[in-house]
Amino acid sequence: MLSVSPFTSTKVGAQQNPPDSLSLASDDQKVIYEIAFSRLRRLVLDIEKENGKLPTSEIMIDIIAEAKQCAENGDYDIATEYADYAIDLLSFATDAESMDFPTDGTAKAATGPQVDYEAFWGADLWQQKFGIAFDDTDSTLFESEGNPFAGFRLFLKSLLTANSTTQGAVEGKLSNQYNTLQANIDHEIRHSPSLNSYLRNRFEATDYKRNDELQYVYDRLIVGGALKTGERSSIELEDELQVRNYAVESNFFQDFLQNEIKARLGFAFYGPGRFDLLYKLRQRKYGSLPDKNYGEHIFEADYWPLSLSKSSLYARVQGRIRSYQNGYVDSLFTNDFREIYGELIFRENLSDRFGLRLEAEVESRHYQYFSTVTPDYSDVTVFPSFSLSPGTTWSINLGYRYRNRIHRLEGDNESSVEIEDYFSHGPFLSIDIFTFGGFMASISNTFEFRRYPNAPAENGTGLSLYSNRNINSLFLFLTWNLTDHWQLNVFSSIDHNDDRNLEGSDSRSNLVNVELSFRF
């Protein structure tokens, strides 16, 4: 079996699309994913601690890798689904109090709540450096700051009745720059072997000390149920409500209310895969800026690998139609569009230590109203890679990524958006370590040659968003169970963006997060 760290994918960089009014929602979805992934990471380490070995199922490794990969693409909804799916599989496989219905007709006894407490301390350290040059003058902007923090976490798990479970977590964090309180609860009831329902809620209150506009409260409530309609088919219905309120609203931070209804049909084939059809109806309303209110239809088809064969295939096709309720008002925020997105991932394990992987993405967006600010575009990415596992606890991933993005604008303004076209390519390398002593580490480096063929070719001074660049990104992640109670977490991201045409248009960004936690 190919030994690949499940917590690091071979993805090279995130897909960077023009910002739209979903950007704030994406921040919420990112936090939700990070919470789910933290739970998953803790569960894997707990299993290793209790059983003396790590989960070795290849399908489990693939699911965790896909969660990480979708997150790097910015698709936090799908990433969270993958993480939750992995948590469910691990929980049902290892928990003696599994919610599976007994075959002998006897009922399981309810258990009291299991509560774990954790305290943590640490600091965020970051630096940013921007070079700016106009005419013959040169200026460099440099910022550097540290943010020490401390806090607590509480984890709850309970089998309230024979067929219902509740999991929850609370985190409070005090820091030099902001204070935050987060609470999550997940309650599931299994009414019969074919029917279950669930309720999930996440609350967050954040207070940034230096900016009143970033003081807010947020709540996300999900109610849903799933019915197994046949031996290999199922249907799921879900309603999600999100509310965010700011202490002081501004043009960039507005209160909003969002409701999303989701329906999913699932089919598990007798072969190696599962096929899902998904529909979402999303409505978002802004209190102070009704011109930004919109409705959105999302159609999706997914194919998931379920077998442990040497070859696996994942495919996804998604269509999105967004309509702003008050028509065309501003080309940046209220331009209706249609979007199609496709993703394909193929993996072939040639031996226990060597595997090949091919990823491809295609995205195309068409806006209803012509605008140089929001031109139509198509984006294609191809990323072949291979994995090598010299030992049982570490692996090497090496790949090369190609990307081409083309913008279009009908009419006489076609040439005005051609400067935004670019192609990029570059190598990717990662080393992953996943040991039996509660130690996980991953270091990866991405180098990208990004070229704008229609940008000015000569060297000069000034500032441009569309000039040739060399981009290098280094990422480090480390989790180490020092003892039965102490854990060390380190995260570091170093990005260098060098302009190849214009002097004084480079940028540097360095971020290091160190956290030490104690579980009682």
Side-chain angles (χ1 to χ4, degrees):
M1 181 178 299
L2 183 66
S3 177
V4 179
S5 169
F7 290 95
T8 299
S9 74
T10 55
K11 195 67 181 178
V12 181
Q15 183 115 334
Q16 298 178 355
N17 296 327
D20 56 32
S21 56
L22 275 181
S23 58
L24 294 180
S26 298
D27 292 339
D28 301 328
Q29 294 158 0
K30 180 179 180 181
V31 173
I32 293 168
Y33 161 74
E34 290 175 345
I35 292 172
F37 198 76
S38 295
R39 288 175 54 207
L40 175 59
R41 186 171 62 242
R42 172 68 71 175
L43 180 59
V44 170
L45 292 177
D46 287 345
I47 292 173
E48 187 273 332
K49 177 181 175 182
E50 294 176 4
N51 301 332
K53 64 179 181 178
L54 296 166
T56 57
S57 167
E58 183 178 348
I59 186 63
M60 178 62 60
I61 292 175
D62 287 349
I63 291 172
I64 298 174
E66 299 309 334
K68 190 76 167 60
Q69 185 174 61
C70 290
E72 292 176 351
N73 280 342
D75 196 344
Y76 295 107
D77 274 342
I78 299 297
T80 303
E81 290 185 18
Y82 270 120
D84 289 338
Y85 186 27
I87 291 172
D88 290 341
L89 290 178
L90 286 174
S91 298
F92 286 125
T94 60
D95 192 349
E97 297 295 336
S98 170
M99 289 174 56
D100 291 338
F101 276 72
T103 57
D104 59 2
T106 60
K108 295 181 180 180
T111 63
Q114 304 173 17
V115 182
D116 291 323
Y117 303 92
E118 186 175 274
F120 60 90
W121 308 264
D124 300 312
L125 308 173
W126 60 273
Q127 291 181 335
Q128 287 183 313
K129 182 179 180 181
F130 302 93
I132 300 178
F134 295 100
D135 298 327
D136 294 329
T137 61
D138 186 24
S139 175
T140 298
L141 301 180
F142 179 79
E143 295 179 299
S144 179
E145 193 165 353
N147 181 45
F149 60 81
F152 72 92
R153 298 187 183 101
L154 181 150
F155 304 94
L156 168 68
K157 182 177 181 180
S158 176
L159 192 68
L160 297 178
T161 67
N163 304 312
S164 68
T165 59
T166 298
Q167 297 185 68
V170 177
E171 177 181 294
K173 183 176 181 179
L174 301 175
S175 72
N176 184 49
Q177 298 185 10
Y178 65 90
N179 302 325
T180 183
L181 175 66
Q182 299 178 11
N184 302 272
I185 189 168
D186 188 337
H187 180 64
E188 181 172 355
I189 302 175
R190 196 162 187 184
H191 305 279
S192 71
S194 60
L195 176 65
N196 71 289
S197 61
Y198 53 86
L199 181 148
R200 298 165 183 158
N201 193 82
R202 173 179 174 266
F203 172 82
E204 178 186 350
T206 300
D207 177 15
Y208 281 85
K209 300 178 181 179
R210 300 183 182 182
N211 192 337
D212 292 339
E213 293 181 354
L214 294 180
Q215 297 178 11
Y216 64 87
V217 293
Y218 168 82
D219 192 77
R220 179 178 185 252
L221 174 66
I222 298 176
V223 179
L227 174 65
K228 187 176 180 181
T229 56
E231 182 180 354
R232 294 181 175 272
S233 61
S234 62
I235 183 172
E236 181 181 4
L237 299 176
E238 182 179 288
D239 186 58
E240 174 185 296
L241 180 66
Q242 295 186 48
V243 181
R244 181 183 284 239
N245 288 314
Y246 289 89
V248 178
E249 286 190 275
S250 67
N251 291 331
F252 294 99
F253 304 101
Q254 300 103 25
D255 300 346
F256 69 81
L257 172 67
Q258 177 175 301
N259 189 72
E260 180 177 288
I261 299 174
K262 180 175 74 174
R264 181 193 297 272
L265 294 174
F267 307 92
F269 299 111
Y270 286 93
R274 166 186 167 182
F275 183 69
D276 286 351
L277 293 175
L278 178 68
Y279 170 73
K280 293 181 181 180
L281 174 61
R282 179 181 295 158
Q283 297 283 339
R284 174 174 282 213
K285 297 183 181 296
Y286 294 88
S288 59
L289 293 174
D291 290 341
K292 293 178 61 178
N293 297 347
Y294 67 83
E296 192 168 59
H297 300 273
I298 300 174
F299 306 88
E300 186 173 313
D302 300 280
Y303 178 81
W304 309 63
L306 295 179
S307 73
L308 299 179
S309 61
K310 292 184 177 180
S311 301
S312 63
L313 175 69
Y314 167 75
R316 175 161 64 113
V317 178
Q318 183 186 88
R320 196 154 60 119
I321 303 174
R322 180 185 294 185
S323 300
Y324 290 88
Q325 299 176 3
N326 293 322
Y328 180 76
V329 178
D330 180 271
S331 61
L332 181 60
F333 295 108
T334 60
N335 198 346
D336 299 352
F337 66 82
R338 300 189 305 273
E339 179 184 282
I340 185 72
Y341 172 81
E343 180 182 12
L344 181 70
I345 301 173
F346 176 76
R347 180 184 287 108
E348 178 75 23
N349 291 337
L350 302 179
S351 69
D352 291 343
R353 297 186 180 275
F354 185 76
L356 300 178
R357 180 186 179 101
L358 177 65
E359 305 173 33
E361 293 178 87
V362 178
E363 181 182 8
S364 179
R365 180 179 290 191
H366 173 72
Y367 289 93
Q368 181 174 353
Y369 304 99
F370 303 147
S371 170
T372 57
V373 179
T374 53
D376 299 346
Y377 67 86
S378 59
D379 202 326
V380 178
T381 301
V382 178
F383 179 40
S385 63
F386 71 86
S387 299
L388 178 64
S389 302
T392 59
T393 60
W394 68 289
S395 64
I396 301 173
N397 302 297
L398 180 64
Y400 206 91
R401 182 174 185 258
Y402 303 86
R403 182 180 179 187
N404 189 32
R405 186 181 178 100
I406 299 176
H407 300 79
R408 303 177 305 277
L409 190 64
E410 297 184 15
D412 299 332
N413 295 319
E414 176 75 24
S415 60
S416 63
V417 299
E418 290 180 349
I419 193 174
E420 301 180 36
D421 297 348
Y422 70 85
F423 69 91
S424 66
H425 60 95
F428 169 85
L429 173 66
S430 73
I431 299 176
D432 308 324
I433 303 173
F434 200 60
T435 72
F436 297 101
F439 179 85
M440 294 187 301
S442 175
I443 182 170
S444 61
N445 192 83
T446 302
F447 191 86
E448 179 183 355
F449 302 93
R450 180 173 293 188
R451 297 296 180 260
Y452 293 84
N454 301 314
E458 69 278 1
N459 293 329
T461 60
L463 181 64
S464 174
L465 298 176
Y466 311 114
S467 57
N468 296 337
R469 296 178 178 275
N470 291 345
I471 303 171
N472 191 79
S473 299
L474 180 67
F475 173 83
L476 170 66
F477 170 78
L478 181 149
T479 294
W480 189 6
N481 283 349
L482 303 174
T483 68
D484 291 342
H485 299 281
W486 290 96
Q487 184 182 75
L488 175 67
N489 295 296
V490 178
F491 168 85
S492 179
S493 177
I494 301 174
D495 297 302
H496 288 181
N497 192 321
D498 297 326
D499 197 308
R500 309 308 299 168
N501 295 112
L502 302 175
E503 296 180 5
S505 187
D506 302 338
S507 65
R508 303 284 190 274
S509 177
N510 305 324
L511 171 65
V512 178
N513 173 275
V514 180
E515 177 188 293
L516 183 65
S517 62
F518 178 83
R519 174 167 287 197
F520 297 92

